[in-house]
Amino acid sequence: MQRLVLFDLDDTLIDRRRALEASVARFSSRHGLTPDGRADVLARLEERATVSDFSAIRRLHGLTAPAQELWQDYRSDMAALASCPAGLLEGMDELEGRGWRIGIATNGSADIQRAKLSSTGIALHVHSVCVSAEVGVRKPDPRLFVAAAELCGAVPGNGGWMVGNDPAKDILGGRAAGLATLWIGDPLRWPADLPAPDRTAPTALQAIRLLLNMTA
């Protein structure tokens, strides 16, 4: 098996939920939203966010700023508030030192995903980044994983690992693309109706340690 590992970004390498809550708090304060308004914005952006979401938010909450400006402010806040755990970047460097090719395979808008990768420093510690908006398919479509592997200079179908927190998008999608799978989560909370991942780990850093142990 080739030494290839693809990582999901949100809630795998970074805590998107914490950054989202803090960003929505800033947004609500900036625009004078009520607590109910703040809860509505949080719910709308919980799964993912696009400029069109801010068009709807602008209309529903009577905001005067253009939707594009609201989006840009949100993108800047998310990038500024995103963080990765201590030791994660060093762990990625260890993987590279052992001959691993490291890629990001993420759904989302290219501008906000790349802004988060840049602000956290992750972008400097991976070989490639594959964002759904740039390739025209979203996880769990196997084509996204194939594109991510190719961007890493790896051979699709020749093995490797997908590491992520979403059972369907990351684990089932990665398996459909011919990758071994490593789920970030509590094994007791894995959906009973889905085939189990190959390995599990509570955090991305511990997932990296598992991979390093395989190539010790």
Side-chain angles (χ1 to χ4, degrees):
M1 179 184 290
Q2 63 188 337
R3 293 186 181 182
L4 165 70
V5 57
L6 303 177
F7 288 97
D8 170 51
L9 178 60
D10 292 321
D11 295 318
T12 294
L13 297 181
I14 65 171
D15 188 340
R16 179 183 183 271
R17 180 69 191 188
R18 184 170 64 180
L20 174 63
E21 290 177 349
S23 295
V24 170
R26 283 189 181 183
F27 182 90
S28 301
S29 176
R30 186 181 296 136
H31 297 286
L33 298 187
T34 65
D36 284 346
R38 174 176 170 175
D40 173 72
V41 172
L42 182 62
R44 287 178 180 276
L45 305 181
E46 190 164 12
E47 178 64 22
R48 56 175 168 160
T50 65
V51 176
S52 62
D53 292 309
F54 285 90
S55 295
I57 290 168
R58 177 181 185 273
R59 182 178 66 255
L60 290 169
H61 296 282
L63 306 183
T64 58
Q68 186 66 39
E69 180 181 321
L70 298 175
W71 164 253
Q72 289 173 349
D73 287 344
Y74 169 79
R75 181 187 64 188
S76 296
D77 288 340
M78 283 292 285
L81 294 165
S83 62
C84 58
L88 183 76
L89 302 182
E90 292 81 0
M92 288 183 163
D93 288 344
E94 286 188 60
L95 282 172
E96 183 181 17
R98 301 270 184 91
W100 288 79
R101 303 293 293 178
I102 306 167
I104 301 295
T106 178
N107 287 343
S109 299
D111 51 359
I112 195 167
Q113 297 302 77
R114 289 187 177 276
K116 288 184 285 189
L117 287 164
S118 177
S119 68
T120 57
I122 294 172
L124 299 176
H125 297 263
V126 299
H127 295 100
S128 70
V129 175
C130 185
V131 186
S132 64
E134 294 178 334
V135 297
V137 291
R138 292 175 56 83
K139 295 181 294 184
D141 192 316
R143 290 175 292 175
L144 187 138
F145 303 93
V146 169
E150 290 176 339
L151 287 171
C152 269
V155 179
N158 199 28
W161 288 82
M162 176 62 203
V163 180
N165 72 299
D166 190 291
K169 295 173 186 175
D170 297 321
I171 304 307
L172 296 189
R175 176 172 292 145
L179 299 167
T181 55
L182 204 167
W183 183 55
I184 304 302
D186 180 350
L188 297 178
R189 301 186 66 180
W190 178 261
D193 59 332
L194 296 181
D198 295 292
R199 302 291 293 271
T200 64
T203 67
L205 186 55
Q206 296 214 26
I208 288 172
R209 293 299 168 202
L210 281 176
L211 297 175
L212 287 169
N213 287 340
M214 295 176 192
T215 51

